[in-house]
């Protein structure tokens, strides 16, 4: 029903007439998939750990939700389809150094996959989400 509503909003005007797109253009509407990612932050040392952990968790949640697949000819730079460990480190570094704290590193992995990765590129129709942040 949602996909049909999206297709209708592209095709139909407010009077229900199919007048919104050029006659030779075909509209494709596809569902998305959500890939979950687990994040681990190591050796966080700050004065107010509960507040900083909450801030980091919120930032990581936003980071993953902002990621989106690259669509050639449609996506406006910068690309947001690449999820990297270095980007996560920079995100956490900003939060931790703003409160004069330290941390060792951060790792991430798709949920249910053992180990950690350096880079993940979202595929067509794939979105990301945080499924948990652990502090060790």
């Amino acid at each position: 029903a949602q996909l049909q509503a999206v297709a209708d909003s592209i095709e139909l005007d407010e009077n229900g007439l199919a007048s919104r797109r050029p006659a030779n253009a075909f509209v494709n509407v596809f569902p998305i998939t959500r890939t979950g990612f687990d994040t681990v932050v190591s050796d966080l040392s700050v004065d107010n750990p509960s507040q900083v952990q909450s801030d980091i968790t919120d930032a990581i949640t936003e980071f993953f939700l902002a990621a989106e697949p690259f669509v050639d000819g449609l996506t406006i730079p910068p690309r947001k389809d690449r999820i990297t460990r270095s980007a996560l480190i920079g995100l956490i570094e900003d939060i931790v150094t703003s409160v004069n704290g330290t941390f060792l590193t951060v790792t991430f992995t798709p949920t249910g996959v053992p180990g950690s990765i350096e880079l993940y590129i979202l595929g067509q129709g794939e979105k990301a989400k945080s499924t948990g942040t652990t502090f060790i």
Side-chain angles (χ1 to χ4, degrees):
Q2 262 184 333
L3 291 176
Q4 187 58 52
V6 170
D8 289 347
S9 71
I10 294 170
E11 295 268 351
L12 308 176
D13 64 15
E14 61 277 351
N15 297 318
L17 299 174
S19 62
R20 287 195 170 174
R21 65 169 176 83
N24 62 345
F26 182 73
V27 175
N28 285 322
V29 182
F30 299 105
I32 65 164
T33 58
R34 281 252 188 229
T35 301
F37 292 90
D38 298 319
T39 308
V40 177
V41 179
S42 303
D43 295 327
L44 178 66
S45 176
V46 292
D47 289 336
N48 186 354
S50 61
Q51 180 60 50
V52 174
Q53 287 178 359
S54 177
D55 292 346
I56 289 171
T57 300
D58 291 347
I60 288 171
T61 298
E62 293 288 325
F63 173 80
F64 282 112
L65 290 177
E68 61 186 23
F70 177 77
V71 180
D72 194 28
L74 183 62
T75 300
I76 298 170
R79 290 178 72 138
K80 297 178 185 175
D81 63 332
R82 297 177 181 135
I83 299 169
T84 64
R85 190 169 80 87
S86 60
L88 280 167
I89 289 171
L91 178 73
I92 295 168
E93 179 74 19
D94 288 345
I95 295 167
V96 172
T97 57
S98 73
V99 295
N100 296 319
T102 61
F103 74 104
L104 180 61
T105 193
V106 62
T107 59
F108 80 103
T109 185
T111 301
V113 176
S116 66
I117 58 176
E118 295 290 320
L119 167 70
Y120 188 92
I121 299 175
L122 296 172
Q124 185 177 15
E126 184 180 21
K127 294 281 287 174
K129 67 178 179 179
S130 175
T131 50
T133 302
T134 306
F135 296 88
I136 58 171

